[in-house]
Amino acid sequence: MAKIIQAFPLSNMELPNRVVVSPMCQYSGYDGFANDWHLVHLGQFAIGKAGAVIQEATAIAPEGRISFWDLGIWKDDHIEKYRQITTFIKSQGSIPGIQLAHAGRKGSDRKPWEGKAQYLPEHEFGWQTVAPSAIPFHEKDHPPLELSRTAIQDIVVRFREAAERAIKSGYEIIEIHAAHGYLIHQFLSPLVNLRNDEYGGSFENRIRFLLEVVDAVAPLTANQSLWVRISASDWAEGGWDVEQSVALAKILKERGVEVIDVSSGGAVRHQKIDVGPNYQVPFAEKIKRESGLITAAVGMITSGIQAEAIVENEQADLVLVARAFLDDPHFVYHAAADLAADLDWAEQYA
Ligand code: FNR
């Protein structure tokens, strides 16, 4: 039988198959609260038999949002709706996951369909952003505030508290967002992090903030699965690269991270990305081979045959799919059919 359709064991759970819904911001919350849009949006993928459904970048603090309308998990009141979402996903035999995030200097943004551009801090939907160094992402942006050591420690605590709430909400996969030029990636990238204290400069210093977050969250996840999403390359000279990603993956493995989810880019505007089918898979393959961590590939994976080849060739253990799931919430059924594999439809649809 096709490998992507087979169950995949993690230490505390079994994914019913290897095709996972990649996190996708919906810019449709208010004050961090999820609503029925998120329930139906995420729920449809569980009906569609996704192996796991990872909820969008969910902010650990209000100023950690990308936009005012992002989901958040900075207060206990957020938990109730998330419980409904996780309960539904589990009822369909899928695994609910959440991506915990802080946007750093890429926050205070508009919804993409309103034209990506930052709100000024004094705007009702804006705020003062923060970053490792006071350099804006875009020259038009309001400069971020350089984080003090105390402020960094506060964010680490916020990640831990967010993880506690995520577990209370019923999420079984806790993914730390360290990719796409958001706060943790801002620390990792030598192009963005120009600090000269213990959080900047050497590789050991640039990964320090991520490791502190991992060390704060990992002890809570004894019954869950801890994932980290990274950008394996900044696609820019002198930036974060795949060699550093391999070195980081080996360290994450020792710290209790179970899966590394390998994306790329987002740190700097002058990045030059060669986008195409499987364009990030070579990064995943190298990280998997050299670190031994369970590895997820993502990016321009649009068919079951393509996904199966990635897993069959041992380039990655899991396949994350974003836009193709929006296009077809029944992606997994159709992938199975393309691979002549047998997958039972939900009884209601059978
Ligand atoms: C995304 N992506 C994304 N990634 C992430 O780590 N956290 C997020 O919240 C989001 N939000 C988001 C929203 C929307 C509408 C899209 C289309 C994408 C990136 C996504 O998870 C994935 O990595 C990329 O889209 C590449 O995969 P596909 O779309 O080629 O399968």
Side-chain angles (χ1 to χ4, degrees), residues 74-140:
W74 62 79
K75 51 186 174 187
D76 290 346
D77 292 347
H78 288 140
I79 292 174
E80 188 183 346
K81 192 70 187 179
Y82 292 146
R83 276 217 183 107
Q84 204 187 341
I85 292 172
T86 60
T87 302
F88 183 79
I89 291 173
K90 288 182 212 175
S91 76
Q92 300 306 304
S94 184
I95 306 278
I98 186 170
Q99 188 183 51
L100 299 180
H102 192 304
R105 70 177 188 167
K106 288 174 95 176
S108 193
D109 213 345
R110 283 176 168 72
K111 298 177 188 182
W113 56 87
E114 291 177 346
K116 282 278 221 186
Q118 252 183 354
Y119 285 118
L120 287 171
E122 46 278 7
H123 191 279
E124 65 171 316
F125 300 134
W127 56 89
Q128 171 63 57
T129 60
V130 295
S133 305
I135 314 158
F137 176 67
H138 195 292
E139 56 270 21
K140 291 191 318 221

